[in-house]
Amino acid sequence: MSDQPVEAFEPPYYVAVFSTVRTEEQAGYPETNARMEEIVRDIPGFLGMDHAQNPGGLGISVAYFRDAESLTQWRTHTEHRAAQQRGREQWYESYTLHVGKVERSHSFKRA
Amino acid sequence: MSDQPVEAFEPPYYVAVFSTVRTEEQAGYPETNARMEEIVRDIPGFLGMDHAQNPGGLGISVAYFRDAESLTQWRTHTEHRAAQQRGREQWYESYTLHVGKVERSHSFKRA
């Protein structure tokens, strides 16, 4: 989550797009979110992540993984499973997850 | 660009994740951006789009297409090509584009 978008990686790799609208019940969210970031960064094959948030509105998190196995490891991590459950019970008004295999990518950076 | 994330579509479909940091030279950007939205919505096979923007920082636009052909039509549209060029010259400090084939998706909405 730096000020620059993560780079373009060498395809193929995996992308998980997680778009959310949150509720007003955000108790515990910041701590859990920080913990989830720690966990995902320790997953072998995790490549990077970007996040953007409209103030009071839609948020988009995009995480990149080397292969399907690393993404499965993230999806099924015990603490992540618990956070997903709590998210549905408390933090999220709505969300959509799209998981895809990246075929093409490129980056631009001003000289 | 509503207050709710676009739905999960029936896989396979395509996703284009465009993550940007903009420059301070934004003359013409809002008009071009509005025009690009008109154009993409007219592309047969365009499914939907989400956008989130950190104030003064990273922005993420995610567009969904039924197939590779519809995404190619969008990528190569004459006005879009011109906007891409102007973006590199003027509006973008940096960006990354990731194009993938969605294999799995789901949505959640609070009852």
Side-chain angles (χ1 to χ4, degrees):
Chain A
M1 314 264 193
S2 72
D3 288 317
Q4 299 296 322
V6 298
E7 66 210 273
F9 308 101
E10 184 69 28
Y13 55 98
Y14 274 77
V15 60
V17 180
F18 186 51
S19 302
T20 70
V21 173
R22 303 223 298 275
T23 65
E24 294 182 359
E25 294 296 313
Q26 295 298 301
Y29 177 82
E31 300 84 341
T32 300
N33 190 50
R35 175 66 183 142
M36 291 305 110
E37 274 203 51
E38 282 181 6
I39 292 173
V40 75
R41 288 181 195 285
D42 279 346
I43 302 273
F46 172 76
L47 298 174
M49 180 164 47
D50 281 324
H51 178 75
Q53 176 75 50
N54 291 335
L58 189 75
I60 304 177
S61 292
V62 190
Y64 302 96
F65 296 87
R66 188 71 273 169
D67 50 36
E69 291 66 33
S70 50
L71 208 156
T72 297
Q73 200 176 332
W74 165 232
R75 187 176 77 245
T76 59
H77 188 285
T78 305
E79 284 186 68
H80 188 202
R81 286 278 200 207
Q84 291 163 28
Q85 178 64 23
R86 190 165 171 197
R88 285 187 292 269
E89 289 169 3
Q90 181 187 346
W91 297 317
Y92 295 118
E93 182 63 35
S94 60
Y95 65 71
T96 305
L97 174 72
H98 310 258
V99 172
K101 188 177 192 171
V102 176
E103 300 178 348
R104 187 162 58 80
S105 64
H106 75 268
S107 290
F108 165 79
K109 195 160 178 11
R110 188 163 294 275
Chain B
M1 314 264 195
S2 73
D3 289 318
Q4 298 297 323
V6 297
E7 68 210 273
F9 308 102
E10 183 70 27
Y13 55 98
Y14 274 76
V15 59
V17 180
F18 185 52
S19 303
T20 70
V21 173
R22 302 223 299 276
T23 64
E24 293 181 1
E25 294 297 312
Q26 293 298 301
Y29 177 82
E31 300 85 342
T32 300
N33 190 48
R35 175 65 183 143
M36 291 306 110
E37 274 203 49
E38 281 180 8
I39 291 173
V40 76
R41 290 180 194 286
D42 279 345
I43 303 273
F46 172 75
L47 297 175
M49 179 163 48
D50 281 325
H51 178 74
Q53 176 75 50
N54 291 334
L58 190 75
I60 303 176
S61 292
V62 190
Y64 302 96
F65 297 86
R66 188 70 272 169
D67 50 35
E69 291 66 32
S70 50
L71 207 157
T72 298
Q73 199 175 333
W74 166 232
R75 187 176 75 244
T76 59
H77 187 286
T78 306
E79 283 185 70
H80 188 202
R81 285 278 200 205
Q84 291 164 27
Q85 177 65 25
R86 191 165 171 198
R88 285 186 293 268
E89 289 168 3
Q90 182 187 344
W91 296 317
Y92 295 119
E93 182 61 35
S94 59
Y95 65 70
T96 305
L97 175 72
H98 311 258
V99 172
K101 187 177 195 172
V102 176
E103 300 178 349
R104 187 162 57 82
S105 63
H106 74 269
S107 290
F108 164 80
K109 195 161 179 12
R110 187 163 295 274

